[in-house]
């Protein structure tokens, strides 16, 4: 089993994904939102890159759907929900499709579609994701969404936690790129949750009034076994649940 890590959504455009299981990571906040929405009973989450694509998709879906997402961290004008995971409650999303467009996270999905399988990870579900990857036993690419083409601390740290979990169970895994080797020690940094709060995107979210989202997304206390997994619904890529037996809102 080989494991690689990409630093940004943009770096995925030139990567060879053939035969790989890809894990998209956007801790703040897209993959935390996707996990929360499915955990709350959303039917499926459709990740799209642009606002226009989101509006077009809404016209084609027959079942009830919500337009969700952000630009510059704020809810897009006219959309039902922004990118705050705690707003994706059962009463808001249960039984509905979520059409989600975000700056980096949903772009990482679009740029990785050549993968054999795609799943979404965040600090909310990284243990379940790592266990699932061990079961699948395929070559893995952890795709950090990053922040507008630059590395982000929290995505790299989440990749490191997944990588270290896998290596601890299967030491013969081969770590490929220099970036993958570089992020390995992050998981063992003392007081990682506090350090993550110093990350640039984290600071921006706090400054814009989204500190509740930061606390929710960076807390690994509320682990869930939800593993958002990409499939095609009416030929559109959508994330649905493969496995769920816990509720992150019940803690
Ligand atoms: C993104 O996809 O860029 C993020 O989810 C941005 C955000 O925190 O809203």
């Amino acid at each position: 089993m080989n494991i690689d890590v990409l630093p940004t959504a943009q770096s995925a455009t030139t990567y060879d994904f053939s035969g790989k299981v890809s894990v998209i990571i956007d801790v703040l906040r897209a993959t935390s939102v996707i996990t929360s929405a499915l955990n709350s009973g959303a039917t499926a989450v459709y990740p799209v890159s642009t606002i226009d694509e989101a509006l077009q998709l809404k016209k084609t879906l027959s079942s009830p759907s919500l337009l969700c997402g952000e630009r510059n961290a704020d809810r897009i004008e006219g959309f039902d929900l922004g990118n705050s995971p705690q707003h994706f409650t059962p009463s808001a999303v249960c039984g509905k499709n979520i059409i989600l467009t975000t700056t980096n996270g949903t772009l990482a999905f679009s740029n990785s579609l050549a993968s054999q399988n795609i799943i979404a990870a965040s600090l909310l579900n990284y243990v379940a994701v790592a266990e699932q990857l061990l079961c699948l036993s395929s070559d893995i690419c952890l795709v950090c969404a990053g922040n507008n083409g630059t590395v982000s601390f929290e995505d790299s740290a989440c990749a490191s936690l997944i990588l270290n979990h896998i290596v601890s169970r299967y030491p013969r895994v081969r770590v490929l790129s220099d970036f993958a080797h570089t992020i390995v020690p992050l998981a063992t940094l003392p007081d990682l949750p506090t350090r993550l709060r110093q990350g640039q995107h984290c600071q921006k979210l706090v400054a814009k009034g989204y500190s509740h989202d930061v606390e929710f997304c960076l807390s690994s206390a509320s682990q869930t076994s939800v593993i958002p997994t990409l499939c095609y619904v009416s030929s559109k890529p959508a994330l649905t649940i493969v496995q769920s037996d816990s509720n992150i809102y019940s803690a």
Side-chain angles (χ1 to χ4, degrees):
M1 190 197 287
N2 298 320
I3 186 160
D4 210 349
V5 185
L6 300 184
T8 62
Q10 288 75 5
S11 59
T13 54
T14 51
Y15 192 75
D16 179 8
F17 284 105
S18 45
K20 300 223 167 49
V21 175
S22 293
V23 180
I24 310 300
I25 302 170
D26 186 14
V27 169
L28 295 172
R29 297 166 285 174
T31 52
S32 300
V33 159
I34 291 166
T35 304
S36 300
L38 293 176
N39 194 60
S40 289
T43 309
V45 181
Y46 294 80
V48 299
S49 301
T50 66
I51 295 172
D52 205 40
E53 251 181 285
L55 296 170
Q56 293 306 320
L57 181 57
K58 168 119 178 150
K59 289 183 197 157
T60 68
L61 293 178
S62 49
S63 41
S65 54
L66 298 175
L67 287 167
C68 308
E70 58 70 39
R71 286 298 179 269
N72 197 22
D74 297 323
R75 181 169 61 86
I76 297 161
E77 205 183 321
F79 274 33
D80 301 293
L81 291 172
N83 201 29
S84 294
Q86 290 164 104
H87 293 168
F88 289 71
T89 57
S91 61
V93 304
C94 190
K96 294 179 181 152
N97 290 309
I98 304 298
I99 302 169
L100 182 69
T101 178
T102 71
T103 311
N104 304 287
T106 56
L107 183 67
F109 284 98
S110 308
N111 290 349
S112 308
L113 287 177
S115 311
Q116 184 178 293
N117 289 302
I118 298 183
I119 57 184
S122 65
L123 292 178
L124 305 177
N125 69 346
Y126 79 89
V127 174
V129 166
E131 289 292 326
Q132 174 80 1
L133 293 170
L134 282 162
C135 290
L136 292 174
S137 188
S138 302
D139 287 345
I140 298 161
C141 183
L142 306 177
V143 182
C144 298
N147 194 12
N148 293 317
T150 63
V151 168
S152 88
F153 188 9
E154 64 281 353
D155 295 344
S156 306
C158 185
S160 177
L161 286 161
I162 294 171
L163 196 156
N164 278 274
H165 189 97
I166 291 170
V167 172
S168 72
R169 301 287 173 91
Y170 187 72
R172 285 171 57 204
V173 68
R174 197 156 68 97
V175 177
L176 293 180
S177 64
D178 281 4
F179 185 67
H181 286 286
T182 305
I183 59 117
V184 168
L186 293 180
T188 53
L189 281 177
D191 205 6
L192 184 59
T194 305
R195 284 170 187 251
L196 290 180
R197 285 169 177 75
Q198 292 160 11
Q200 280 186 337
H201 188 55
C202 184
Q203 302 267 317
K204 174 181 169 178
L205 289 175
V206 170
K208 293 197 79 163
Y210 296 110
S211 49
H212 286 305
D213 290 1
V214 166
E215 292 315 311
F216 184 81
C217 296
L218 296 188
S219 162
S220 54
S222 31
Q223 280 286 311
T224 170
S225 58
V226 166
I227 301 174
T229 303
L230 200 98
C231 58
Y232 283 82
V233 182
S234 305
S235 75
K236 303 283 181 207
L239 292 140
T240 59
I241 282 188
V242 153
Q243 171 198 347
S244 171
D245 57 21
S246 76
N247 187 331
I248 55 180
Y249 289 101
S250 64

